[in-house]
Amino acid sequence: MNDCKSDTDVYTSEALASQEKFERELENHAEVRKALREARSKPGSEENGRVVAEAKLAAVETELAGCESLFNEEKKMLSENVEELEKVVSEKEKECNLLHEQYQNLAAASERSEYENPGPFIKPDNSMWMFYRDVILAELQLDPTCSDESIGVQQCTSLTSKCDQDNNLVFKHTGEDPFVF
């Protein structure tokens, strides 16, 4: 009986050891299956990540294309504005040159008077009256007078022609103000 008992103990211990081994194998198998599931799901998550990244890239490319289109439109519009402004500047330069030429003509016309301090008055027909300050001739002076200055006018047929040399008196007496013009 002792032999039987010892055999039973051996079988029991071997059965327990086998069961522990089986349970360890089951746990190992479960861990391997879990790792396998994770390994299989990883490419899927990487694939999902790639799909998401590609979608974001496509959105950025679309936005960039829109920005590029907007940039090109603004560039074209600014180029057109620059062309228009260059035309305006060119026209203004021509206008400035014309005004400068007219000024030169007026300056030349004012030099055509022999009298002191000429002041031009340009009429619509481009003829001109040249007002000037002068000394009153002795025969025209008023008695008593406090000033011997007068205001006269000359007529010019154009801005560049010489004015008539007549002494056309407008005012015989200008008062004491030396800054009539």
Side-chain angles (χ1 to χ4, degrees):
M1 194 98 187
N2 269 343
D3 275 341
C4 195
K5 189 173 183 194
S6 93
D7 283 342
T8 306
D9 286 339
V10 170
Y11 290 131
T12 305
S13 71
E14 280 185 24
L16 285 175
S18 289
Q19 184 156 351
E20 285 176 10
K21 225 179 190 182
F22 177 74
E23 287 175 1
R24 250 184 289 138
E25 284 293 322
L26 267 176
E27 286 175 8
N28 287 340
H29 183 69
E31 286 176 16
V32 167
R33 287 193 75 192
K34 182 179 174 185
L36 182 61
R37 248 185 275 124
E38 286 176 1
R40 285 182 180 162
S41 68
K42 243 185 186 180
S45 67
E46 287 175 1
E47 180 70 24
N48 289 340
R50 186 177 62 81
V51 169
V52 168
E54 286 175 351
K56 286 181 181 179
L57 177 63
V60 168
E61 286 175 341
T62 303
E63 182 181 349
L64 183 60
C67 289
E68 182 181 16
S69 172
L70 182 64
F71 170 79
N72 288 335
E73 287 176 20
E74 287 181 11
K75 180 180 173 184
K76 180 181 177 187
M77 188 171 61
L78 288 174
S79 295
E80 290 171 357
N81 286 344
V82 165
E83 289 174 9
E84 288 178 26
L85 289 174
E86 287 174 345
K87 288 178 184 176
V88 168
V89 166
S90 175
E91 290 173 10
K92 293 298 178 185
E93 284 176 346
K94 288 176 185 176
E95 186 178 326
C96 183
N97 290 336
L98 177 64
L99 289 173
H100 183 71
E101 184 180 324
Q102 288 175 349
Y103 168 75
Q104 294 294 344
N105 290 339
L106 285 175
S110 67
E111 293 169 4
R112 291 188 175 6
S113 176
E114 64 186 50
Y115 296 102
E116 178 185 348
N117 198 17
F121 173 75
I122 302 170
K123 296 172 28 176
D125 64 356
N126 278 337
S127 66
M128 178 173 55
W129 289 349
M130 185 71 74
F131 289 89
Y132 59 89
R133 183 169 59 197
D134 194 17
V135 176
I136 300 176
L137 300 173
E139 68 268 6
L140 298 176
Q141 282 189 353
L142 301 173
D143 289 322
T145 183
C146 57
S147 171
D148 63 351
E149 290 186 341
S150 66
I151 304 293
V153 66
Q154 292 177 294
Q155 294 185 13
C156 312
T157 56
S158 71
L159 296 177
T160 57
S161 67
K162 194 165 181 86
C163 298
D164 66 23
Q165 298 303 316
D166 296 338
N167 189 347
N168 301 317
L169 201 57
V170 177
F171 298 105
K172 293 182 181 178
H173 187 282
T174 61
E176 298 301 320
D177 185 5
F179 301 105
V180 174
F181 286 97

